[in-house]
Amino acid sequence: MKKGRGFRKEMILWWCMLLLSLLGTDNKWVRGQFDSNGFISIDCGLSENDSYIDEHTKLSYISDAQFIDTGLNHNISKEYTPSLSRQYLTVRSFNSGARNCYSLKSLVLGSKYLIRATFLYGNYDGLNQFAMFDLYLGVNFWKTVNISDAVTPIIAEVITVAPADYVQVCLANTGGGTPFISSLDLRPLKDTLYLLANSTQSLSLVKRLNAGPTNTTIIRYPDDLHDRLWEPWSNEPYWSELTTTSDVSHILTDQFEAPSIVFQTAATPVNSSVLQFDWAPSPLDKSPSYWWALHFCETQLLGKNQSRWFNITVDGLMWYAEPYSPSYLRADEIFGKYGLQLPYYNVSLVATGNSTLPPLLNAFELFIVLPVANLPTDGGDVSAINAIKEKYQIKKNWVGDPCAPETYIWDGLNCSYTGSPRIIALNLASNGLMGDFPSLFSELKALQSLNLSDNNLTGSIPDALSLLASLTLLDLTGNNLNGTIPDGLLRKSQAGKLTLRVGDNPNLCSNSTACTPNEQKKDNGSIRVIAIIVPVIVVVLLVALALLLCMLKNKKGTGREQYSSFSKAGLKDDLIQLENRQFTYTELAAITNEFTRILGKGGFGTVYHGTLEDGTQVAVKVRSESSSQGTRDFLGEAEILAKVHHKFLVSMIGYCKEESCVALVFEYISRGTLQEHLQGPTGFSAPLTWRQRVRIAKESAQGLEYLHKGCSRPLIHRDVKTNNILLNEKLEAKIADFGLSKAINSDQTHVTTCVVGTAGYFDPEYCMTSQLTEKSDVYSFGIVLLELITGQKALISASGQEAEKTNIVYWVRQRLAKGNIESIVDARMKGEYDANSVWKVTDLALKCTMPLGSQRPMMPEVVAQLKECMESEVTCDINYHSSQNSSIGTTRNGYYTGYSINGDTRS
Ligand SMILES: *[C@@H]1O[C@H](CO)[C@@H](O)[C@H](O)[C@H]1NC(C)=O
Ligand SMILES: *[C@@H]1O[C@H](CO)[C@@H](O)[C@H](O)[C@H]1NC(C)=O
Ligand SMILES: *[C@@H]1O[C@H](CO)[C@@H](O)[C@H](O)[C@H]1NC(C)=O
Ligand SMILES: *[C@@H]1O[C@H](CO)[C@@H](O)[C@H](O)[C@H]1NC(C)=O
Ligand SMILES: *[C@@H]1O[C@H](CO)[C@@H](O)[C@H](O)[C@H]1NC(C)=O
Ligand SMILES: *[C@@H]1O[C@H](CO)[C@@H](O)[C@H](O)[C@H]1NC(C)=O
Ligand SMILES: *[C@@H]1O[C@H](CO)[C@@H](O)[C@H](O)[C@H]1NC(C)=O
Ligand SMILES: *[C@@H]1O[C@H](CO)[C@@H](O)[C@H](O)[C@H]1NC(C)=O
């Protein structure tokens, strides 16, 4: 749908351009990249502004100048030109740079495209040397181009889903000679074509063959509306040709839309009942996975006593599950459900015993399935760094994707590679940057370190830099900056969160109060006053500056380092201040979009969803006026959280402590609570598998273990429950809500407090003695384990009657006494679990929920037991997968019925 819209837009655009050109303004429409089909046809090496209509396809080819800045144009040697299509007569070559890229822009993200590059050497450089280089589709390897003679064109074609609104085609010099290219085509495809090409894999063409051709012409546009190239394929004298002139019909859901003319010819074996062909994996591709499609259509009207039935086998095994007979004048395809990796590929069409005619084949397409493993750099980062490149005319090796693949990362950049790469460091020291210092840099939202030292930057430091949440180093030493250092940056540096270096900027004021005259300049009315005041102030300022410098020097730290000395002072500050960010109410309002999206409510107040400047999602817990939790408790929580960091505990990012607002900012855990996953409405999420449950149990246990043992004093959570275990997008457990945590003094083994916690999870011993120990958390964790096993609530209401609630421990013990483990296991797992593993966890849960604390294990023991369960689960899993690997499957166009080699997965 998305694609349809974009497509229409392009059509309208094109018509407008055409109209303009008809009105005789100028030949501008040629510069537009798309033609009326939405095709881009580029003749590389054609001089800028040149274009022509290809005589065979009638497609309009344009110069590549608008798609690339690097490389040199060449004509191929005259001796080869007579017999070649025009696209091959010029090339663009790249003798500098490890990677050079074409950018095809204004595409539709998520839409499918066919991209084709051709390479014909033609001795363009007069050296008669055949190069070998790599081709990349954006950030992913596509193909190795191996030129072995001067006149055979190499054609690389890929069917891919655009990962952004542009696609880059890059030529990488791998030391095998100068890369070059003859032409580059882009053709849009409907999403329903070649379903195997999706956002995680592309299809790189090996061969597309039209069997039994009438002559040696390559079939393409306009016969093929998608402009695929169908090469003629004959095998005389072993194969003969069958032809028809009748129209061939296609089914509506055709995944190929191969042209009729291809179906009108077929190959059939001569004097044999077998049509056979084979190929070996190319050594240039590392362990390629091949996928292919066979195109069939009966071209002859068979007589009453005639029949054409054949088996399709690969390496002697039935590839399509049953004998097949093509239909008269109906296009049909048989293709794999996924790519296959075999040592050798031998495809045979073998006539069955009752068939009177030999097999036939109309066409064959063979692809390598290319994983789209590398993600492109974050779109925001890409546009920001490109704008910076443009502004300062940075040359270096800055082409293609900034961060990916890692081997081609741009000089001066450092990136993080979890998920879509982000630029985290930019070093442009001593790069001769001239001109002002724009806020462009603050668009690199994940930036941690920015070094622009020793350039000729002028103007003032943009305030926007202080919004970069992760920035810890900013070096602007040795420029010509003026104005003042933005307050935000100063504050961060004073709080020790930022190392700020601004020395050797003669016109830069170090303190905003001292620089007020500059701000007054904006005031038009007072120029004359300023004329008098400025000299006075300048003198005062110089004196003040000199004094300041003296003072700082005495405190060690040179002029160059003056602001990093602030950060050293900051170290003495409170722990909270050092590790966490302090937010103002205004900032919180901005982050949460005026407190619009509520994530949850609790005794303490409301939790809102928010997004930091760098895109990090957060949960903002704001204490309400009526909260039963006092400001003291609240800040107590902050203090504990500030000190506690563990993979399986929700971490705090910052806090707000103002009269009008007391709030804590946490990392946002996207998949909600464990309770929702166990008991949420059907459709809330897929039911958790047993393996996931054990892992979640193990991870929460590790979180609790850390609380109990990892800190200088043990912390008791006091409210362990499924509602306080959050799951992130990887379904990793994070324990939340330490609001009630109390540290135990090491000389005591318990703390006495008022009753807290949630019904159903109370430690019965604690209820009697009011003495809270770590064992109370163990009890509550046992309840969590039972919930994971059974999918029941901590308090189970029998037959829906509220009044008669049964404790889950009692419920489980009762059932186990009567029957077997199945009677307690969550039915949503559909019986897919290892009974031994479930027994083990149940046993552990029952130990944790023993009535007396002394009978219960400590958390480290619980963790150890759960780890053991995990390991036995892993072995099961591996066996399960390996038994699945042995089947290869095929599908028939339009019938997604899952035929497999065994024929038993047909549905
Ligand atoms: C192409 O056209 C642009 C704009 O009309 C012009 O500036 C440029 O010089 C032309 N290039 C060539 C090689 O003629
Ligand atoms: C792409 O197709 C492959 C094979 O059918 C499949 O395993 C994969 O999940 C698909 N990816 C997406 C994003 O749909
Ligand atoms: C080759 O065959 C195609 C279709 O069969 C036909 O359109 C084309 O004109 C033929 N070309 C020549 C050179 O005979
Ligand atoms: C074709 O396949 C069928 C069903 O699997 C089998 O019974 C038959 O023997 C095969 N025929 C040939 C010629 O291989
Ligand atoms: C030939 O045999 C196949 C199964 O092997 C069967 O489906 C088909 O109907 C038979 N054809 C004829 C003409 O008997
Ligand atoms: C940049 O600044 C340095 C030192 O101030 C100066 O020597 C150099 O000429 C400047 N470069 C340019 C291109 O202005
Ligand atoms: C800072 O430098 C810029 C460019 O050099 C100049 O336009 C601006 O007036 C200067 N500002 C101050 C406050 O000196
Ligand atoms: C700037 O200087 C004034 C007076 O010297 C001082 O009161 C103020 O705290 C300073 N501000 C900063 C941000 O350092």
Side-chain angles (χ1 to χ4, degrees):
M1 249 192 188
K2 210 171 182 184
K3 182 190 160 206
R5 238 185 291 131
F7 207 64
R8 217 171 303 132
K9 223 191 289 166
E10 276 150 27
M11 289 288 286
I12 294 169
L13 206 72
W14 185 80
W15 279 110
C16 293
M17 284 172 168
L18 185 69
L19 265 178
L20 269 180
S21 77
L22 290 178
L23 287 172
T25 44
D26 65 345
N27 226 12
K28 238 191 199 129
W29 68 280
V30 173
R31 310 242 335 136
Q33 43 175 0
F34 296 100
D35 71 6
S36 59
N37 296 301
F39 291 1
I40 305 178
S41 310
I42 302 169
D43 186 345
C44 304
L46 199 64
S47 60
E48 193 183 350
N49 302 346
D50 254 11
S51 70
Y52 61 86
I53 306 286
D54 181 80
E55 62 175 305
H56 302 295
T57 58
K58 305 288 184 270
L59 291 173
S60 165
Y61 274 81
I62 56 179
S63 152
D64 58 352
Q66 59 172 308
F67 302 95
I68 194 160
D69 303 324
T70 51
L72 296 169
N73 292 353
H74 304 271
N75 293 322
I76 65 162
S77 167
K78 286 271 181 299
E79 61 180 300
Y80 301 114
T81 54
S83 58
L84 294 171
S85 329
R86 183 146 174 203
Q87 290 86 271
Y88 295 129
L89 303 188
T90 56
V91 300
R92 185 180 285 254
S93 76
F94 305 94
N95 50 15
S96 68
R99 177 174 64 159
N100 286 275
C101 298
Y102 281 85
S103 293
L104 304 171
K105 301 202 178 104
S106 308
L107 308 187
V108 181
L109 185 158
S111 279
K112 206 168 276 183
Y113 294 92
L114 180 154
I115 296 171
R116 179 167 50 228
T118 69
F119 309 86
L120 186 139
Y121 173 56
N123 197 19
Y124 72 86
D125 52 3
L127 298 174
N128 249 319
Q129 278 170 3
F130 306 139
M132 179 152 122
F133 49 91
D134 281 352
L135 209 53
Y136 278 80
L137 185 64
V139 298
N140 288 286
F141 176 79
W142 172 1
K143 188 186 172 83
T144 296
V145 176
N146 186 8
I147 308 289
S148 54
D149 69 55
V151 285
T152 311
I154 302 240
I155 297 176
E157 184 201 291
V158 72
I159 294 174
T160 192
V161 169
D165 61 354
Y166 62 90
V167 166
Q168 291 191 317
V169 173
C170 302
L171 292 88
N173 189 332
T174 51
T178 304
F180 69 89
I181 181 168
S182 303
S183 77
L184 185 59
D185 294 336
L186 175 132
R187 315 289 181 232
L189 293 180
K190 284 187 259 183
D191 296 344
T192 50
L193 296 187
Y194 297 96
L195 285 177
L196 218 65
N198 60 24
S199 57
T200 54
Q201 59 190 29
S202 303
L203 295 174
S204 170
L205 184 73
V206 180
K207 282 282 174 202
R208 181 179 290 113
L209 300 168
N210 174 27
T214 48
N215 58 39
T216 56
T217 323
I218 290 178
I219 292 174
R220 60 180 295 187
Y221 187 83
D223 288 317
D224 187 335
L225 292 177
H226 307 297
D227 192 28
R228 286 163 292 188
L229 309 185
W230 299 85
E231 284 179 57
W233 188 27
S234 46
N235 185 17
E236 282 167 19
Y238 307 105
W239 296 358
S240 67
E241 278 127 38
L242 298 172
T243 57
T244 175
T245 48
S246 311
D247 279 344
V248 173
S249 65
H250 289 252
I251 55 164
L252 274 176
T253 52
D254 193 340
Q255 228 197 97
F256 295 87
E257 299 188 348
S260 268
I261 193 166
V262 166
F263 283 106
Q264 284 171 344
T265 64
T268 188
V270 176
N271 293 334
S272 165
S273 58
V274 182
L275 189 151
Q276 185 268 330
F277 56 94
D278 50 25
W279 71 93
S282 151
L284 286 180
D285 301 291
K286 295 145 219 123
S287 57
S289 167
Y290 286 94
W291 178 77
W292 61 91
L294 302 172
H295 298 258
F296 293 109
C297 163
E298 178 60 76
T299 53
Q300 295 179 316
L301 188 56
L302 302 188
K304 218 175 160 212
N305 297 326
Q306 288 181 304
S307 69
R308 196 190 304 277
W309 284 91
F310 49 89
N311 289 345
I312 307 171
T313 65
V314 170
D315 290 351
L317 296 171
M318 287 292 276
W319 180 61
Y320 184 61
E322 49 190 31
Y324 175 73
S325 178
S327 317
Y328 182 55
L329 298 184
R330 279 184 73 90
D332 192 13
E333 274 91 5
I334 294 183
F335 49 96
K337 282 193 289 184
Y338 32 76
L340 277 187
Q341 271 178 297
L342 301 175
Y344 195 80
Y345 303 79
N346 186 344
V347 177
S348 300
L349 312 183
V350 188
T352 57
N354 64 2
S355 178
T356 64
L357 295 169
L360 63 65
L361 176 63
N362 303 64
F364 172 62
E365 284 181 277
L366 177 62
F367 295 89
I368 288 177
V369 180
L370 287 182
V372 179
N374 296 330
L375 292 172
T377 304
D378 174 82
D381 282 1
V382 171
S383 20
I385 197 77
N386 275 318
I388 290 167
K389 172 186 161 191
E390 188 84 355
K391 175 160 174 71
Y392 298 109
Q393 295 292 306
I394 296 167
K395 293 287 179 235
K396 298 184 169 244
N397 66 342
W398 285 26
V399 295
D401 188 276
C403 300
E406 217 172 331
T407 28
Y408 293 106
I409 186 172
W410 291 4
D411 285 344
L413 258 53
N414 219 335
C415 302
S416 66
Y417 290 93
T418 43
S420 200
R422 299 297 309 251
I423 298 174
I424 55 168
L426 175 59
N427 181 352
L428 288 174
S430 311
N431 263 274
L433 308 188
M434 305 224 300
D436 59 349
F437 186 176
S439 41
L440 275 177
F441 293 94
S442 60
E443 299 297 315
L444 296 169
K445 302 273 191 223
L447 212 53
Q448 297 169 6
S449 152
L450 176 61
N451 184 349
L452 300 173
S453 59
D454 301 315
N455 286 297
N456 285 12
L457 294 174
T458 54
S460 55
I461 303 174
D463 211 0
L465 284 181
S466 48
L467 295 177
L468 292 175
S470 324
L471 194 68
T472 53
L473 174 76
L474 178 59
D475 192 342
L476 304 173
T477 321
N479 281 286
N480 268 315
L481 299 169
N482 64 13
T484 60
I485 299 169
D487 275 350
L489 288 177
L490 272 183
R491 248 186 286 131
K492 278 191 164 180
S493 136
Q494 282 160 351
K497 288 176 220 151
L498 174 71
T499 306
L500 180 62
R501 301 202 183 110
V502 292
D504 282 355
N505 280 287
N507 301 317
L508 193 65
C509 297
S510 49
N511 177 320
S512 55
T513 327
C515 291
T516 27
N518 290 341
E519 275 156 30
Q520 280 181 7
K521 261 190 193 160
K522 289 175 202 147
D523 182 355
N524 297 340
S526 51
I527 294 172
R528 212 181 297 151
V529 181
I530 289 165
I532 303 162
I533 289 178
V534 164
V536 177
I537 298 238
V538 166
V539 171
V540 171
L541 204 136
L542 284 176
V543 172
L545 205 79
L547 277 175
L548 189 76
L549 282 178
C550 272
M551 274 163 63
L552 285 172
K553 269 219 175 88
N554 288 345
K555 276 184 163 183
K556 95 177 181 210
T558 65
R560 225 184 137 104
E561 290 273 348
Q562 51 184 306
Y563 284 102
S564 50
S565 64
F566 277 125
S567 59
K568 277 172 203 140
L571 274 175
K572 290 180 205 113
D573 282 350
D574 213 345
L575 242 182
I576 296 185
Q577 286 208 351
L578 183 74
E579 290 184 357
N580 288 277
R581 174 169 168 194
Q582 186 161 6
F583 291 86
T584 64
Y585 178 79
T586 333
E587 280 173 316
L588 284 187
I591 287 168
T592 58
N593 193 12
E594 305 296 334
F595 303 99
T596 36
R597 186 170 151 204
I598 293 177
L599 294 175
K601 282 187 182 171
F604 49 83
T606 311
V607 186
Y608 299 92
H609 178 268
T611 311
L612 295 186
E613 306 84 349
D614 65 352
T616 312
Q617 297 193 72
V618 293
V620 180
K621 184 170 170 183
V622 181
R623 191 181 72 93
S624 70
E625 289 301 318
S626 59
S627 169
S628 56
Q629 197 180 2
T631 311
R632 216 153 164 238
D633 273 3
F634 206 76
L635 293 173
E637 182 179 1
E639 207 166 326
I640 288 168
L641 278 167
K643 290 178 207 156
V644 172
H645 290 287
H646 189 267
K647 190 166 178 222
F648 302 124
L649 298 175
V650 172
S651 25
M652 186 167 95
I653 290 172
Y655 64 98
C656 167
K657 193 179 76 179
E658 283 178 6
E659 253 173 73
S660 55
C661 131
V662 178
L664 299 177
V665 181
F666 298 94
E667 61 176 321
Y668 172 64
I669 313 292
S670 58
R671 298 279 289 264
T673 69
L674 176 58
Q675 186 172 47
E676 287 165 324
H677 280 265
L678 287 175
Q679 281 136 23
T682 6
F684 172 82
S685 64
L688 295 170
T689 64
W690 176 245
R691 189 168 151 61
Q692 284 168 333
R693 291 174 200 233
V694 178
R695 189 166 47 77
I696 290 167
K698 187 209 77 175
E699 290 169 354
S700 352
Q702 283 173 299
L704 275 180
E705 180 191 21
Y706 180 79
L707 280 182
H708 290 175
K709 303 287 172 201
C711 311
S712 51
R713 284 183 299 166
L715 294 168
I716 301 178
H717 187 294
R718 301 206 292 173
D719 200 11
V720 176
K721 54 180 174 179
T722 46
N723 208 18
N724 275 340
I725 296 173
L726 305 182
L727 300 179
N728 69 10
E729 68 284 359
K730 290 189 227 152
L731 287 180
E732 283 171 346
K734 302 250 185 187
I735 294 191
D737 215 349
F738 304 71
L740 307 164
S741 289
K742 273 268 153 56
I744 313 176
N745 291 325
S746 30
D747 51 345
Q748 282 171 262
T749 53
H750 67 268
V751 284
T752 316
T753 65
C754 56
V755 170
V756 289
T758 305
Y761 295 86
F762 279 146
D763 168 8
E765 188 182 39
Y766 170 65
C767 286
M768 291 184 295
T769 62
S770 291
Q771 290 193 337
L772 194 65
T773 70
E774 291 124 292
K775 292 289 180 72
S776 302
D777 279 354
V778 174
Y779 179 88
S780 312
F781 184 73
I783 303 287
V784 169
L785 285 181
L786 291 177
E787 285 182 72
L788 278 166
I789 298 161
T790 62
Q792 301 287 340
K793 291 183 184 163
L795 292 176
I796 301 166
S797 39
S799 57
Q801 282 173 311
E802 274 303 298
E804 288 177 32
K805 278 188 174 167
T806 315
N807 182 299
I808 193 169
V809 181
Y810 181 66
W811 186 87
V812 166
R813 284 188 183 278
Q814 225 180 9
R815 290 183 168 227
L816 282 183
K818 273 193 219 150
N820 51 14
I821 196 92
E822 280 87 54
S823 63
I824 64 158
V825 177
D826 188 352
R828 275 165 284 200
M829 287 191 275
K830 300 209 177 70
E832 284 169 15
Y833 53 83
D834 170 26
N836 277 332
S837 171
V838 175
W839 264 117
K840 216 167 166 175
V841 178
T842 311
D843 189 45
L844 181 63
L846 292 176
K847 274 188 195 141
C848 291
T849 49
M850 292 298 272
L852 297 178
S854 56
Q855 299 167 312
R856 302 172 202 154
M858 295 292 270
M859 271 333 274
E861 195 187 321
V862 175
V863 171
Q865 297 267 342
L866 286 169
K867 275 185 179 163
E868 258 177 50
C869 295
M870 281 286 289
E871 273 147 27
S872 58
E873 275 298 308
V874 170
T875 21
C876 288
D877 232 39
I878 290 167
N879 293 339
Y880 176 72
H881 282 300
S882 61
S883 71
Q884 295 276 301
N885 278 345
S886 55
S887 69
I888 57 177
T890 50
T891 307
R892 198 166 151 192
N893 204 352
Y895 312 100
Y896 288 100
T897 47
Y899 290 92
S900 86
I901 197 158
N902 307 318
D904 55 4
T905 56
R906 188 176 175 178
S907 55

